[in-house]
Amino acid sequence: MIRNIRITIFSLCLALAFASCQNGGRIGKLFGSWVLEEMSADGEPLPLPAGVEAGFISFQGVFVRFSIDYGMEQDSRSFATWTRVDDTITFDFDHYSDGTEPGTGGYAPPAWLFFDRLEETITISRLDNSHFDFFRTGSDGMIYTYKFKRTW
C-alpha cells in the first residue's frame, strides 16, 4: 500500500515536471518524446521484447523517462536523471525507489535498451529536430546503436 502511494506521488511530481513549459527545462532539441525506430548490437538488429509495440525516451529538465508500450492498457516505465556535456549524455539510475536498492523499481535501467548499469553513458551521433541517434558500449563490450524519431 505504501509502495503504491509513493509511486503515485512520484508519478504526479514527474507528470508536473513534464507538463511544465520547455523554457523551464532549457534543454533545447532533446526536449520532448522520441520513439525508437531501430537498434542494433555490433551491427546486428535487435528486436523489442515480445508483445511490445513501441519504445520511447522522453526528456524534460533533468528527468528522462524510458517507456515501452504493450498496447492501449499497458506500459512499463523507468526514470533517471541525466547530464549532457557536448555529445555525451550520462543517464543516472542510482536513485532509491520505495526504500529498495538503488536502480530498482521505477529507477531500474531499461532492459529493453540493454542498459544494465546504474550509470549509462551514450554518445550522440545525430540530433536535429526530428532525429536522435546515439551509440554506447555495453558492459558486454558490444557497441549498441539506437535511432529515435521525434513524436512531439
Side-chain angles (χ1 to χ4, degrees):
M1 178 71 172
I2 292 176
R3 178 176 187 232
N4 289 339
I5 292 170
R6 288 181 181 161
I7 289 172
T8 301
I9 291 170
F10 175 77
S11 296
L12 288 173
C13 290
L14 196 59
L16 288 173
F18 274 96
S20 64
C21 67
Q22 179 179 353
N23 291 338
R26 291 186 173 86
I27 60 173
K29 291 180 183 175
L30 282 173
F31 175 79
S33 187
W34 305 84
V35 63
L36 181 67
E37 295 276 297
E38 61 183 78
M39 67 178 159
S40 63
D42 285 344
E44 294 295 319
L46 293 172
L48 286 169
V52 173
E53 294 181 5
F56 301 91
I57 296 179
S58 303
F59 291 88
Q60 170 64 41
V62 299
F63 298 104
V64 59
R65 177 182 65 193
F66 300 87
S67 58
I68 49 177
D69 183 1
Y70 290 93
M72 296 292 289
E73 301 288 326
Q74 186 181 9
D75 67 356
S76 177
R77 300 178 188 153
S78 59
F79 303 91
T81 54
W82 64 278
T83 54
R84 179 179 177 185
V85 177
D86 300 321
D87 285 338
T88 302
I89 296 176
T90 301
F91 298 116
D92 182 3
F93 299 94
D94 193 11
H95 303 284
Y96 291 90
S97 177
D98 301 327
T100 60
E101 292 297 312
T104 61
Y107 291 110
W112 60 275
L113 289 175
F114 301 90
F115 286 12
D116 59 2
R117 297 179 281 214
L118 293 181
E119 199 172 87
E120 291 283 355
T121 300
I122 65 164
T123 301
I124 299 169
S125 53
R126 179 180 182 187
L127 178 59
D128 56 38
N129 289 329
S130 59
H131 297 92
F132 173 43
D133 301 346
F134 61 87
F135 63 92
R136 69 179 186 82
T137 302
S139 59
D140 56 7
M142 298 180 86
I143 304 295
Y144 291 87
T145 304
Y146 307 87
K147 295 184 178 189
F148 286 83
K149 187 173 182 180
R150 182 182 298 282
T151 62
W152 60 269

